[in-house]
Amino acid sequence: MALPGYVTPQHAGNMSVLGLAEAVPELPANIRAWTTTRQSGSFGLGSEEAVGEVMARWAALQEELAQLGISRLANAHQVHGNTVTVHGGGWRGWLRGRAADGHVTARRGTALAVTVADCTPVLVWHPAGAVAALHAGWRGTAANILDHGLDSLVALGFPSEECHVWLGPAICGACYEVGPEVLTAIHGAPFAAKGQLDVRAILGEQALARRVASVRTAAGCARCHVDRYFSHRGGDTGRMLGIIALL
């Protein structure tokens, strides 16, 4: 079944997932990162699309990562929280966990992925060899998932001041009207009316408060550019991936 507002992509067997994805520019040689787009198809496991089609895309992604020397791919069922899982070695294949919205690793040959459709894929790296992938909607942002991710990197010996942050395609502030309870949760002060919320701007402020080495934000908006991205507010049930890999 086709997704609402979704143009069916090429069959996964004839398609390069990473070739159609947006690559994060200017990364160290030992790190690669991408955000998939509508053209690659949905990676969401909770839609009405045939599970075989979705799983074929995940299989194609694993094959392409394997060509880069990546033998491990981790993601999880996301719950809009701030739990971050640290992944070691000693396993191979696709690991899908439960109730986590962030992933960290310092093990080479590992890729981390989060699913998004308006929420922000936050990709973090330390050039000495550590990466993180975080799923940040307004709830996760209010719960400081970025701080939790940076804390996990610090615990592995990678100072936050030496980390770099990429805020991928997500809904922009102009497109995202939220209720006063959301604004209150984000800003920590009472709001009485609806207003616009730029989640990536808040995440950028949180990153700068940790004095990270750099913060960059993708130009794309999931809602403005519905021809390129899936948007939950736009009626899509499809999901994109934010992926970061440590070679």
Side-chain angles (χ1 to χ4, degrees):
M1 178 183 296
L3 299 169
Y6 165 58
V7 178
T8 302
Q10 296 172 291
H11 188 275
N14 303 317
M15 176 187 73
S16 168
V17 173
L18 298 180
L20 294 173
E22 295 181 356
V24 177
E26 301 176 14
L27 293 175
N30 60 335
I31 295 167
R32 300 284 297 276
W34 308 262
T35 304
T36 65
T37 65
R38 183 182 289 269
Q39 191 177 7
S40 298
S42 173
F43 289 83
L45 298 175
S47 75
E48 295 180 352
E49 188 177 12
V51 66
E53 291 294 322
V54 177
M55 294 301 290
R57 294 183 195 116
W58 281 100
L61 172 61
Q62 292 174 77
E63 288 294 329
E64 291 178 44
L65 290 171
Q67 293 173 18
L68 298 173
I70 303 296
S71 60
R72 292 177 291 273
L73 171 62
N75 81 313
H77 172 67
Q78 297 167 181
V79 293
H80 295 276
N82 61 11
T83 297
V84 176
T85 301
V86 178
H87 299 279
W91 59 280
R92 295 172 62 87
W94 178 21
L95 176 65
R96 178 169 168 81
R98 292 185 56 81
D101 286 85
H103 307 271
V104 166
T105 192
R107 293 300 183 116
R108 295 180 60 186
T110 306
L112 312 173
V114 292
T115 56
V116 293
D118 287 341
C119 294
T120 305
V122 183
L123 305 179
V124 186
W125 63 92
H126 190 289
V131 295
L134 312 170
H135 162 251
W138 74 260
R139 291 181 179 85
T141 301
N144 298 306
I145 189 170
L146 177 54
D147 274 330
H148 285 258
L150 290 169
D151 288 344
S152 294
L153 288 166
V154 170
L156 292 176
F158 300 93
S160 56
E161 296 86 354
E162 299 172 5
C163 291
H164 300 261
V165 175
W166 172 263
L167 306 174
I171 194 166
C172 72
C175 290
Y176 196 34
E177 182 181 69
V178 298
E181 74 285 356
V182 175
L183 296 171
T184 298
I186 287 287
H187 296 288
F191 280 74
K194 295 179 180 180
Q196 305 305 122
L197 176 62
D198 188 338
V199 172
R200 288 185 292 184
I202 300 298
L203 288 165
E205 293 172 3
Q206 292 177 349
L208 291 175
R210 293 293 297 263
R211 299 186 178 183
V212 299
S214 71
V215 183
R216 292 185 287 155
T217 302
C221 165
R223 188 71 181 91
C224 292
H225 307 124
V226 291
D227 59 327
R228 185 157 185 79
Y229 307 114
F230 291 116
S231 170
H232 175 71
R233 284 218 167 183
D236 290 317
T237 57
R239 295 293 182 269
M240 304 173 294
L241 293 180
I243 309 162
I244 190 163
L246 184 61
L247 305 183

